Amino acid sequence: MGKRIGAGKRGRSPGRTAVLLGAGALVTGMLAGCGSGGGLKINVYYAPEDSFQKVVDNCNKAANGRYEIVYNKLQRGADDQRLQMARRLAAGDTAMDVLGLDVTWVSEFAEAGWVEEWKDQNKAEATQGVLQGPLETATYNGKLYAATKNTNVQLLWYDDRITPTPPKTWDEMIAKSKELKAQGKPYSIVFTGAQYEGLVVFYNTLVESMGGHILSDDGKSVVLDDGAVKALALLKQIASSGITDPSLTNSKEDDVRQTFQRGDAAFELNWPFVYASYAKEKPQDVSHFKWAVYPEAKPGTPAKTTIGGYDLAVSSLSEHKPEAFEAALCLRNAENQKFSAINDGVPPTIESVYHNDTPLDPSKPASADNPNMALKYPMRDSIIDAIKDAAVRPLTPAYQNMSTVMSKVLSPPADIDPQATADKLREQLNDALQSKGVIP
């Protein structure tokens, strides 16, 4: 998530026109994948990321002419990315080699047989030094199906001129918000409350922080236990206590960022991309823009915050699998993760990268024009703390169906009736699990 979030509404099955257009794009993509110049091409299909071509260039230098990695930029919307890759793989497209998968897609693509398992030396390199939470997102049924490229985790953001110290629990934050409201000060708690994946992420964090479960550990049955019901009650309390922004039910990540940055909120729950935006747009105030780990839902028990990010998988249809594995490993190695973190704001999955304070140009001292991790990620210790005790969204091939159901049932949050809503979720999630994923 972060810069590349584009989770829009889930569309219906495409009509005949869309299918024809998709087929045309498929043929065009296959022809383009052959490359020109006769050399071996390794086609990488990945989300738009400003500096990713530079990473590709670095890896092409390392390949020393044995192959050329070609960056095929996917659409900006996450749903569109997934749909394009799924259609092409279902059609047997052999021109796709390395696939950039949102962390919620790995299970679906593995279950469909579209991606290769990582084994032996490739697996050893892909897992070395990787934080446990991100590593779980690349795993399905105990097997590794992708290499982690970047992760993401939400933090609590606040202004120390309004709140000198951050609240440690949700109870404290709700009470502080009400106190600030009574004083006529900015008081709102802002988060992603629109009917989309962001609301599901927020709810999943509350469930995991309550010690609850939405699905069984194997992802095959619906649980929605007492912790999940308590999370519904907390979500309703937050949304119906007069302490959220009026735009809650339309708020996505950037809406939340802008509301806080305008000074219309006291607490923001969002991804680390907000820091760079604040520093750029309000440099005079950035010294007061502070962060902390998520508040505890159960006092005394650290919150488990839902992680995002992207993983790199090798297509089972690739005709160049050894080179594809090698290319994928290069694209997400420690140096390239640091480069992407500094330039594109995508947090690394390899823990040691956070502590690597060598600037981009090691021949010069670190500065605003030659940054290192300390300058770009002053909140890195909080990120690591959150990731080390992170929550992962339910690992199931039917996750897209589940997400659609949950976002609909949970919206608007103020209308939640904890027990009745839990019963409705159980029924509809059971139906969603009957699907193996939406294969176009």
Side-chain angles (χ1 to χ4, degrees), residues 256-274:
V256 170
R257 176 190 70 82
Q258 291 182 45
T259 298
F260 185 91
Q261 204 165 289
R262 285 195 306 267
D264 292 337
F267 303 107
E268 173 183 10
L269 297 157
N270 215 336
W271 310 94
F273 82 97
V274 301

Side-chain angles (χ1 to χ4, degrees), residues 155-167 173 260 265-269 278 286-293:
L155 298 175
L156 168 63
W157 304 87
Y158 64 99
D159 188 322
D160 66 1
R161 293 168 296 187
I162 298 172
T163 309
T165 57
M173 187 157 69
F260 185 91
F267 303 107
E268 173 183 10
L269 297 157
Y278 199 104
V286 71
S287 63
H288 297 288
F289 188 42
K290 303 297 185 179
W291 56 86
V293 294

Side-chain angles (χ1 to χ4, degrees), residues 30 43 50 52 55 123 153 204 258 344 362 364 393 431:
M30 285 180 167
N43 285 298
D50 292 344
F52 189 63
V55 172
K123 179 180 179 180
V153 68
N204 189 69
Q258 291 182 45
D344 287 320
K364 300 176 182 178
R393 277 166 277 188
D431 291 341

Side-chain angles (χ1 to χ4, degrees), residues 169 260 425:
T169 68
F260 185 91
L425 276 173

Side-chain angles (χ1 to χ4, degrees), residues 43-60:
N43 285 298
V44 176
Y45 286 78
Y46 186 67
E49 189 174 285
D50 292 344
S51 302
F52 189 63
Q53 184 59 54
K54 176 61 176 174
V55 172
V56 170
D57 294 342
N58 291 341
C59 291
N60 280 333

Side-chain angles (χ1 to χ4, degrees), residues 348-410:
T349 66
I350 300 172
E351 183 173 1
S352 62
V353 176
Y354 287 92
H355 307 292
N356 182 346
D357 281 336
T358 304
L360 287 178
D361 183 350
S363 67
K364 300 176 182 178
S367 67
D369 295 325
N370 186 35
N372 61 6
M373 289 297 292
L375 288 171
K376 284 289 188 176
Y377 285 84
M379 75 299 291
R380 57 185 173 177
D381 289 339
S382 294
I383 291 176
I384 292 172
D385 288 344
I387 291 175
K388 282 188 172 179
D389 200 20
V392 176
R393 277 166 277 188
L395 299 176
T396 169
Y399 183 79
Q400 300 304 313
N401 292 347
M402 283 188 54
S403 176
T404 301
V405 165
M406 285 194 288
S407 64
K408 183 176 181 180
V409 173
L410 294 171

Side-chain angles (χ1 to χ4, degrees), residues 169-432:
T169 68
W170 271 102
D171 287 343
E172 287 180 20
M173 187 157 69
I174 291 170
K176 184 63 177 180
S177 178
K178 291 179 178 179
E179 177 186 326
L180 290 169
K181 185 177 183 179
Q183 295 171 355
K185 297 178 180 179
Y187 65 88
S188 296
I189 300 171
V190 289
F191 60 94
T192 51
Q195 184 181 317
Y196 81 120
E197 179 67 11
L199 179 57
V200 178
V201 166
F202 187 78
Y203 174 61
N204 189 69
T205 291
L206 297 183
V207 172
E208 293 275 351
S209 298
M210 286 287 190
H213 297 80
I214 296 173
L215 297 187
S216 57
D217 289 340
D218 63 9
K220 294 181 179 178
S221 60
V222 178
V223 175
L224 270 174
D225 53 17
D226 184 59
V229 177
K230 288 179 178 177
L232 287 170
L234 177 55
L235 178 54
K236 179 182 177 63
Q237 180 187 0
I238 297 164
S240 60
S241 297
I243 53 174
T244 57
D245 190 80
S247 64
L248 172 65
T249 55
N250 293 311
S251 292
K252 298 186 177 182
E253 285 84 357
D254 205 53
D255 304 308
V256 170
R257 176 190 70 82
Q258 291 182 45
T259 298
F260 185 91
Q261 204 165 289
R262 285 195 306 267
D264 292 337
F267 303 107
E268 173 183 10
L269 297 157
N270 215 336
W271 310 94
F273 82 97
V274 301
Y275 182 82
S277 297
Y278 199 104
K280 180 179 179 181
E281 297 174 26
K282 298 185 72 174
Q284 72 279 6
D285 294 326
V286 71
S287 63
H288 297 288
F289 188 42
K290 303 297 185 179
W291 56 86
V293 294
Y294 233 73
E296 298 170 358
K298 290 175 63 176
T301 302
K304 295 179 72 67
T305 315
T306 304
I307 55 176
Y310 272 73
D311 299 328
L312 297 178
V314 171
S315 168
S316 58
L317 298 172
S318 170
E319 296 177 339
H320 313 292
K321 291 187 179 71
E323 294 83 3
F325 278 110
E326 181 181 329
L329 284 169
C330 180
L331 294 170
R332 46 77 60 206
N333 67 23
E335 274 305 305
N336 284 325
Q337 284 203 25
K338 185 182 86 167
F339 179 88
S340 295
I342 290 174
N343 286 282
D344 287 320
V346 288
T349 66
I350 300 172
E351 183 173 1
S352 62
V353 176
Y354 287 92
H355 307 292
N356 182 346
D357 281 336
T358 304
L360 287 178
D361 183 350
S363 67
K364 300 176 182 178
S367 67
D369 295 325
N370 186 35
N372 61 6
M373 289 297 292
L375 288 171
K376 284 289 188 176
Y377 285 84
M379 75 299 291
R380 57 185 173 177
D381 289 339
S382 294
I383 291 176
I384 292 172
D385 288 344
I387 291 175
K388 282 188 172 179
D389 200 20
V392 176
R393 277 166 277 188
L395 299 176
T396 169
Y399 183 79
Q400 300 304 313
N401 292 347
M402 283 188 54
S403 176
T404 301
V405 165
M406 285 194 288
S407 64
K408 183 176 181 180
V409 173
L410 294 171
S411 185
D415 288 352
I416 288 172
D417 176 335
Q419 197 59 60
T421 301
D423 292 341
K424 187 174 182 180
L425 276 173
R426 284 192 194 94
E427 178 183 355
Q428 295 195 17
L429 288 177
N430 272 314
D431 291 341

